[in-house]
Amino acid sequence: MSDKIITIKATDGSTVQFVDKIIGSGGMKDVYFSPDKSYVVGFFRDKQDFNAKDRLQNITGIYRERIFQQEGGDYWQDLYCWPTKIVEHNGKLGLVCPTYQPCFFFKYGSVNNDFLGIKGREKEGKWFASAKNQNRFLTPEERGDWFKYLQICIRISRAVKRMHSAGLAHSDLSYKNVLVDPTSGRAAIIDIDGLVVPGKFPPDVLGTPDFIAPEVIATKHLKIDDPNRKLPSITTDRHALAVMVYMYLLYRHPLRGGKVHDLDSGKDEELSMGEKALFIEHPTDDSNRVKSAQLQASQLPQADPTKIPYTVCGPYLKELFDRAFIDGLHNPQARPTANEWEDALLKTVDLLQPCQNSKCWHKWFVFDNSRKPKCPFCGTDYKGQLPVLNLYSSRHEGTFTPDNYRLMVYNNQYLYMWHVNRNIWPNEKLTDDQKKPVAYFVFHQNKWLLINQRLNDLEDKTEGKKIDIGEAVELTDNKQILLSKENGGRLIVVQMVNN
């Protein structure tokens, strides 16, 4: 006998159907599928007061419009699982949300015949944010590679940026409320019904342990209306975002080191994550260093910062980690914004180089600006010539200024419009035409070549020769190549690293 289908009206007057069978239960809601599984309906188990209903009406109404009906609105559909409607049934308030995309469900499950039973379950971020989970439980097919984790972090940063620009804070930004797929590099923020609107809707929860900002933990004993009490906000989201980026790229927590503050485990946790929080890789205070002897084999080498320090993430991310976990750990205003994380992550992607060891788990690494580059994850030396492109751009006609921006070259690497012109940036505002490659690099007959696909102004300035569409220019040391004559157009200066 098939399960009963219940039909009700949403508060906006539209018809909503769900199958009368609970498919999942979270901390606050019981969830049901629609008949075609295109959406789910989640009912709160506890009665919601007027303020809660008002919050949900705003989240499904005006705040949803702020996110999706502005410039580039369609882009955001894949980055959130945003509630669309409010329903009531049998005295219980509920929300309608899109079903998670297929890529966010485990396809292979865990190792050893899926002894954890995760096959078919949601790819909650916690499975991918620690070395122990990665090494012990996940099949190689589910792990992805380092390039994909950078893409995941870009998408999360972008989604958080969009919420913050709309004046909203998530309040419980953590790997529990973000779905990730390392096989495709995609991510989506979920559990949006707890959004914080400054001055209007206070948070329901303080957050998830590991991601709660130190000032929130340090003041949680104060009354809710005490002016010194710190509650989840945009600045606490920034702390959570920094922690998430660090964990997805390094598979360890930035504050969980070897320092013990109190013999009482609860008090020690409160101090180490709150008032006494200290970066495990702090350059001048080593009192919270990770004690490698206490690490399990399944945590190595990723959980040991002496083996894989945070500097492997490159100069742009190192600067932001320093601001997040040194300058801004106890000074919220100093924390990097989501927009700054997005920019730094995008520039870091352009520093990536594929590891030449086919068995390397990470498969990619950030060029360390050395004459003898090697993969920091598996120790494999790079062999052969390595072109490094230093990007300059025009502020005034005929003059070019360094952009503090580099592009690493590898075989079949593409060049895009955001490399060609400093006024274009790879974000949700890109047009379809701007997303298309304009040139590509190949290693052919022992030479590195740039093949022009769509650039009208490409010119070998060193040789004084125009490079037409379909033609190639060889990359040699100190070669200068003009990409565009337009305002903001860039000039490449080639640097060859020989190994």
Side-chain angles (χ1 to χ4, degrees):
M1 184 177 171
S2 60
D3 294 299
K4 181 182 178 184
I5 295 176
I6 296 177
T7 302
I8 56 177
K9 290 284 187 183
T11 55
D12 65 0
S14 62
T15 298
V16 172
Q17 291 186 315
F18 65 92
V19 179
D20 193 12
K21 179 182 177 182
I22 295 175
I23 59 162
S25 294
M28 300 172 69
K29 295 191 291 291
D30 295 321
V31 182
Y32 303 79
F33 263 136
S34 66
D36 64 358
K37 297 187 177 180
S38 64
Y39 60 85
V40 296
V41 184
F43 288 100
F44 292 93
R45 286 191 291 276
D46 296 333
K47 188 171 180 62
Q48 302 295 297
D49 61 17
F50 173 81
N51 285 336
K53 189 171 183 179
D54 188 32
R55 177 211 294 272
L56 297 176
Q57 285 173 333
N58 279 273
I59 289 170
T60 57
I62 186 171
Y63 302 135
R64 190 170 186 278
E65 291 171 10
R66 282 188 195 175
I67 298 294
F68 295 105
Q69 295 186 11
Q70 307 280 328
E71 182 180 12
D74 288 345
Y75 175 86
W76 305 103
Q77 299 290 345
D78 290 343
L79 292 186
Y80 305 102
C81 184
W82 202 285
T84 57
K85 302 174 183 179
I86 300 173
V87 292
E88 291 190 61
H89 179 63
N90 288 343
K92 291 186 176 181
L93 197 66
L95 285 174
V96 177
C97 293
T99 304
Y100 302 150
Q101 295 172 43
C103 67
F104 294 128
F105 294 91
F106 280 106
K107 184 177 179 181
Y108 298 96
S110 58
V111 295
N112 300 329
N113 298 317
D114 196 21
F115 74 98
L116 293 175
I118 63 173
K119 186 174 181 179
R121 284 169 55 187
E122 300 97 358
K123 291 183 180 179
E124 196 175 280
K126 69 175 183 180
W127 290 109
F128 307 95
S130 76
K132 184 177 180 179
N133 284 349
Q134 289 263 4
N135 292 325
R136 284 189 64 191
F137 304 135
L138 298 185
T139 62
E141 295 91 344
E142 298 283 18
R143 286 180 181 172
D145 58 49
W146 213 51
F147 198 147
K148 297 293 194 303
Y149 285 97
L150 282 160
Q151 291 178 314
I152 284 169
C153 292
I154 288 169
R155 286 181 166 92
I156 295 170
S157 300
R158 219 167 249 167
V160 173
K161 174 189 75 173
R162 183 68 161 191
M163 285 193 300
H164 289 179
S165 67
L168 305 169
H170 188 282
S171 83
D172 192 8
L173 192 62
S174 72
Y175 52 40
K176 283 190 67 66
N177 291 325
V178 175
L179 299 177
V180 302
D181 175 33
T183 66
S184 67
R186 296 171 72 179
I189 294 180
I190 62 174
D191 280 3
I192 304 238
D193 49 282
L195 286 179
V196 175
V197 182
K200 185 170 178 66
F201 298 123
D204 283 336
V205 295
L206 294 185
T208 298
D210 275 352
F211 298 91
I212 306 173
E215 67 272 16
V216 174
I217 294 176
T219 62
K220 69 177 185 177
H221 63 284
L222 300 175
K223 291 183 177 179
I224 198 81
D225 57 354
D226 189 315
N228 294 313
R229 173 81 184 267
K230 303 300 181 186
L231 295 170
S233 64
I234 286 174
T235 54
T236 67
D237 270 3
R238 289 175 184 168
H239 171 78
L241 176 60
V243 171
M244 216 179 310
V245 172
Y246 185 94
M247 294 188 78
Y248 282 136
L249 297 182
L250 296 163
Y251 315 114
R252 59 178 182 253
H253 195 279
L255 307 180
R256 293 197 179 278
K259 191 168 187 176
V260 176
H261 297 278
D262 198 287
L263 295 178
D264 178 274
S265 60
K267 184 66 174 173
D268 181 60
E269 170 77 5
E270 196 171 302
L271 289 170
S272 62
M273 292 290 111
E275 181 185 350
K276 301 292 185 181
L278 179 66
F279 185 31
I280 59 173
E281 299 186 75
H282 196 289
T284 58
D285 187 343
D286 63 3
S287 62
N288 196 32
R289 289 286 187 266
V290 171
K291 295 179 180 178
S292 55
Q294 297 176 356
L295 296 173
Q296 301 172 15
S298 61
Q299 295 175 281
L300 295 172
Q302 296 92 342
D304 186 354
T306 62
K307 297 275 197 310
I308 302 178
Y310 74 123
T311 51
V312 303
C313 295
Y316 307 118
L317 291 177
K318 178 195 178 294
E319 179 190 342
L320 294 198
F321 284 139
D322 286 345
R323 284 174 52 196
F325 302 132
I326 300 173
D327 307 335
L329 191 58
H330 298 287
N331 177 17
Q333 298 307 316
R335 292 170 187 159
T337 64
N339 186 59
E340 288 176 300
W341 282 110
E342 180 191 355
D343 288 353
L345 287 157
L346 286 164
K347 290 172 80 171
T348 299
V349 164
D350 282 334
L351 290 181
L352 286 183
Q353 190 63 213
C355 180
Q356 293 177 333
N357 173 11
S358 61
K359 295 182 179 178
C360 178
W361 173 23
H362 290 72
K363 294 184 173 55
W364 297 84
F365 65 95
V366 172
F367 174 63
D368 65 356
N369 201 28
S370 70
R371 280 285 167 189
K372 294 189 174 182
K374 70 175 182 179
C375 174
F377 304 115
C378 70
T380 302
D381 291 321
Y382 180 90
K383 300 294 184 186
Q385 279 195 328
L386 178 61
V388 182
L389 309 184
N390 295 290
L391 273 55
Y392 295 72
S393 63
S394 61
R395 270 68 165 179
H396 308 287
E397 190 173 344
T399 63
F400 290 88
T401 307
D403 281 337
N404 185 31
Y405 188 6
R406 280 180 155 178
L407 178 65
M408 303 304 301
V409 172
Y410 49 86
N411 199 40
N412 294 321
Q413 154 85 314
Y414 284 109
L415 196 72
Y416 291 93
M417 281 307 300
W418 55 86
H419 300 126
V420 172
N421 192 304
R422 68 183 293 268
N423 297 324
I424 298 171
W425 198 238
N427 56 27
E428 70 281 0
K429 298 177 183 178
L430 284 178
T431 65
D432 288 340
D433 190 61
Q434 290 171 337
K435 294 175 185 177
K436 296 176 183 176
V438 295
Y440 65 96
F441 303 93
V442 291
F443 189 64
H444 180 67
Q445 296 182 346
N446 218 30
K447 294 179 180 179
W448 281 104
L449 303 175
L450 172 62
I451 314 295
N452 186 9
Q453 290 177 289
R454 301 174 62 219
L455 296 174
N456 295 317
D457 297 335
L458 191 65
E459 183 180 345
D460 181 340
K461 298 294 285 184
T462 303
E463 301 290 334
K465 180 184 175 186
K466 191 174 187 302
I467 311 299
D468 291 328
I469 291 172
E471 292 184 344
V473 55
E474 183 182 355
L475 305 181
T476 56
D477 202 36
N478 293 318
K479 172 71 67 79
Q480 294 188 13
I481 302 170
L482 180 67
L483 299 178
S484 171
K485 294 178 180 177
E486 294 179 358
N487 182 39
R490 281 201 167 105
L491 176 80
I492 285 174
V493 177
V494 181
Q495 176 186 348
M496 299 300 293
V497 176
N498 297 297
N499 204 13

